[in-house]
Amino acid sequence: MSAVRGEFVYGDRVQLTGPKGKLQTITLVPDGELHTHLGVLRHGDIAGRPDGSVVANSEGHEYLCLRPLLRDFVMSMPRGAAIVYPKDAAQIVAQADIFPGAIVVEAGVGSGALSMSLLRAVGSGGALHSFERRAEFADVARANVETFFGETPEQWEIHFGDLAEALPRDLPNGSVDRVVLDMLAPWEVLPAVSDALAPGGVVTCYVATATQLSRVAEFIRGLGCFTEPDSSETMVRGWHVDGLAVRPDHRMVGHTGFLITTRKLAPGSIAPEVKRRASKRSYGDHDEEAWTPGSVGDREITDKNLRKRVREAERAASGARRAAELRSAESPDDGAMGGSTPASV
């Protein structure tokens, strides 16, 4: 794989931080030049220098030169499909417990963002099997992975086809340690995933909406061969720190997706029952969402309780009206609504 230390050589990708903090990523080539309104920066002035060097362009403006981190590369690489953001990729590696030497299945491969994190985590002793339906997405992912690593990792194999059919075709039952599903309808492939996973194996699903999250959770529970699913989302907020001026950034990376994680039970085992409020309706065989108050866990208010709430609201409104009348009586000449003219100081 490509070097992560040492002097820059032609063919390396370099992340440049300009005078105003603007980031640009270039690939060093002989006789190459970066032309901006601030001047010209020659690639030859960067080649041969160590990582973290500062190089001036033709007009004397300085640029910080660093090898891109994985998170930097992912955010700037070509995309054929939406990517898994670095904050979620880090959580997937942690929550799915991706370890060196693990046999991991990924679906789908997208633009290769998550694949790179998984390849690093499994190491040279593991294996990543990425399943993708569309060849053009796989082509983008393969190119991005090769660009970042400098080669196509030997422990990576891309399989084509629907996971529900391709997984039992290509991998023996019980041979997979971890499964990561980044797809629209992960519940459609969970039976095949269950067969492929070894007992104790982990499956993590990355879904974008609350409806997907609910459906996956209920499907996992219905299969009866997994532990109680654990659901979460990750939000990252940066901070501005400059002397005593310490405050949250005005912008933050909020919701990007949900993670739902569960583990495969041993054959014949039944997980201890988890007590929770029962839903009056659940997903049937058809692709439909049941969003009644009971299905989403809302407490249905009784008629008696509702009448009590009405009386409380009316009492509060009556008190507010009396207060407004008193304020108006105290300042009858004030044209403002219920207000009074402040005394001069």
Side-chain angles (χ1 to χ4, degrees):
M1 295 187 180
S2 60
V4 295
R5 63 175 63 175
E7 298 178 346
F8 291 117
V9 298
Y10 292 116
D12 279 347
R13 291 177 65 83
V14 181
Q15 180 177 271
L16 304 173
T17 305
K20 294 185 178 181
K22 182 179 179 180
L23 299 179
Q24 291 178 284
T25 303
I26 63 173
T27 300
L28 296 181
V29 296
D31 301 323
E33 294 179 335
L34 173 67
H35 290 257
T36 71
H37 68 286
L38 297 176
V40 179
L41 180 64
R42 297 177 58 249
H43 291 197
D45 293 337
I46 302 174
R49 292 177 179 266
D51 203 350
S53 296
V54 176
V55 178
N57 70 358
S58 60
E59 299 299 321
H61 296 287
E62 294 183 331
Y63 288 80
L64 173 62
C65 307
L66 291 165
R67 283 189 173 87
L69 301 177
L70 176 55
R71 66 180 186 183
D72 301 321
F73 179 82
V74 163
M75 297 305 294
S76 63
M77 71 184 189
R79 304 179 187 181
I83 65 168
V84 175
Y85 280 82
K87 71 181 183 69
D88 295 316
Q91 286 294 316
I92 289 172
V93 170
Q95 292 191 23
D97 190 43
I98 310 296
F99 59 91
I103 308 300
V104 179
V105 165
E106 171 198 23
V109 67
S111 298
L114 180 59
S115 303
M116 286 180 265
S117 292
L118 297 176
L119 285 166
R120 273 190 166 179
V122 301
S124 58
L128 174 63
H129 297 272
S130 299
F131 288 79
E132 179 56 60
R133 291 178 176 179
R134 301 182 61 176
E136 57 269 29
F137 284 172
D139 291 340
V140 174
R142 186 183 291 108
N144 284 331
V145 169
E146 185 174 352
T147 299
F148 183 75
F149 289 114
E151 60 185 8
T152 301
E154 294 181 356
Q155 68 270 31
W156 188 35
E157 183 176 356
I158 299 179
H159 307 253
F160 293 99
D162 187 280
L163 185 70
E165 301 173 356
L167 184 57
R169 177 196 68 199
D170 296 347
L171 295 175
N173 286 350
S175 64
V176 176
D177 299 306
R178 305 290 187 259
V179 175
V180 180
L181 302 177
D182 175 19
M183 53 194 306
L184 183 63
W187 51 85
E188 294 178 351
V189 302
L190 283 174
V193 166
S194 173
D195 292 338
L197 274 174
V202 180
V203 55
T204 295
C205 302
Y206 179 72
V207 294
T209 69
T211 52
Q212 289 172 297
L213 179 69
S214 174
R215 188 175 182 116
V216 173
E218 294 305 321
F219 197 93
I220 288 172
R221 293 177 179 131
L223 284 176
C225 57
F226 289 103
T227 61
E228 176 67 14
D230 178 69
S231 305
S232 66
E233 68 172 329
T234 304
M235 291 177 282
V236 176
R237 183 174 70 175
W239 279 70
H240 170 87
V241 181
D242 185 4
L244 295 179
V246 180
R247 56 168 175 74
D249 284 342
H250 296 304
R251 299 178 63 186
M252 68 175 291
V253 182
H255 173 76
T256 49
F258 299 101
L259 294 180
I260 180 166
T261 302
T262 185
R263 301 188 69 178
K264 172 73 179 297
L265 296 173
S269 295
I270 300 176
E273 183 179 359
V274 177
K275 294 184 179 180
R276 60 180 181 272
R277 173 186 279 275
S279 173
K280 292 186 177 181
R281 294 181 63 185
S282 60
Y283 295 110
D285 296 332
H286 302 289
D287 188 17
E288 60 184 9
E289 315 292 354
W291 291 109
T292 62
S295 68
V296 297
D298 269 1
R299 295 179 180 273
E300 294 188 15
I301 189 168
T302 64
D303 291 341
K304 179 179 178 181
N305 203 352
L306 179 59
R307 289 193 295 269
K308 178 182 177 181
R309 303 286 175 85
V310 171
R311 289 195 299 270
E312 291 173 350
E314 289 177 344
R315 282 197 298 268
S318 177
R321 286 194 297 269
R322 286 197 300 270
E325 291 170 356
L326 289 173
R327 286 194 297 270
S328 179
E330 290 173 357
S331 54
D333 296 331
D334 184 18
M337 294 182 61
S340 59
T341 303
S344 60
V345 178

